[in-house]
Amino acid sequence: MFRTKNWEPLTTGKLVAFGAGLGVFLLVLFRSEPGFVFLVDHANLVFHEAGHPVVGLFSSRLEPYGGTMGQLFFPAVLEVAFWRRGQPIGVATCAIWFCENWLNIARYVADARRMELPLVGGGDHDWHTILPRWGLLESDQRIAAILRTIAWTGIAASCCWILWRAWEDRSRSQCLSVNQRHVRRNTGRD
């Protein structure tokens, strides 16, 4: 169902670069304020803020959801684009970016009752608006914990997927080598 015809091969160099980038990202993530990676989440904030007026064009009632939708939309679109091109490193990187957004969203949800986070332009707190609509304001901490779990599970799954893709490439390459040797031996081209 989710297979593409041709995945770009994962070379050792690409895997090493991905691993190094992931390592730096995780180092920055663990050393940063919980749920906020300075460079990445400032970019996500731009997408978040852009989402409000875009969704607001269609529905003022849904406008508070637009920020979260906006910050998830951009990495998801890029992930689909990389998937369609068969570029596994791009897919995994965008999936990790998508999942890292959930850490930031969890931080925002956890602040729904306290409302201590600084807001861009001093506007309304999205999750303080959203959660009471669903009768869930008192559950902000539990919801945030679930979102953090989803984020970390997604990041781990993305890493496992890229390792599986690499294993598939190695297995396919070994099968091709064995088949080529077998054909040469049977046709006398050895």
Side-chain angles (χ1 to χ4, degrees):
M1 178 169 128
F2 289 110
R3 293 181 179 244
T4 60
K5 290 180 231 164
N6 296 312
W7 282 103
E8 188 177 272
L10 281 169
T11 63
T12 301
K14 288 178 184 177
L15 278 174
V16 168
F18 176 79
L22 178 65
V24 168
F25 170 73
L26 291 174
L27 178 69
V28 170
L29 180 63
F30 288 127
R31 293 183 53 90
S32 67
E33 182 180 341
F36 194 85
V37 177
F38 185 78
L39 186 61
V40 174
D41 286 320
H42 277 306
N44 291 336
L45 181 61
V46 171
F47 300 133
H48 176 99
E49 292 304 324
H52 286 299
V54 171
V55 171
L57 289 171
F58 302 101
S59 168
S60 61
R61 178 140 174 87
L62 295 178
E63 187 174 357
Y65 299 90
T68 299
M69 291 166 58
Q71 74 186 81
L72 293 171
F73 178 78
F74 289 97
V77 166
L78 285 175
E79 186 175 354
V80 168
F82 284 119
W83 185 280
R84 293 183 69 189
R85 291 184 183 132
Q87 298 174 323
I89 296 291
V91 170
T93 300
C94 289
I96 290 168
W97 176 23
F98 180 86
C99 293
E100 186 278 334
N101 263 294
W102 287 103
L103 295 173
N104 183 259
I105 293 164
R107 178 177 186 246
Y108 199 11
V109 169
D111 186 61
R113 279 183 285 170
R114 290 189 318 262
M115 295 195 311
E116 295 173 349
L117 290 175
L119 302 176
V120 174
D124 294 330
H125 192 295
D126 299 346
W127 289 99
H128 185 77
T129 303
I130 293 168
L131 292 178
R133 290 180 181 177
W134 296 92
L136 295 171
L137 186 59
E138 298 300 317
S139 300
D140 61 350
Q141 299 302 308
R142 282 191 305 255
I143 294 168
I146 291 167
L147 295 177
R148 282 189 290 274
T149 300
I150 290 169
W152 285 113
T153 301
I155 290 170
S158 299
C159 294
C160 289
W161 180 80
I162 203 73
L163 292 173
W164 176 78
R165 286 280 347 130
W167 179 79
E168 283 281 305
D169 283 353
R170 300 294 185 275
S171 296
R172 191 175 305 112
S173 176
Q174 288 172 352
C175 284
L176 288 174
S177 294
V178 168
N179 287 340
Q180 287 171 347
R181 282 192 302 256
H182 181 71
V183 166
R184 281 191 300 243
R185 196 172 326 127
N186 288 340
T187 59
R189 295 186 190 177
D190 221 8

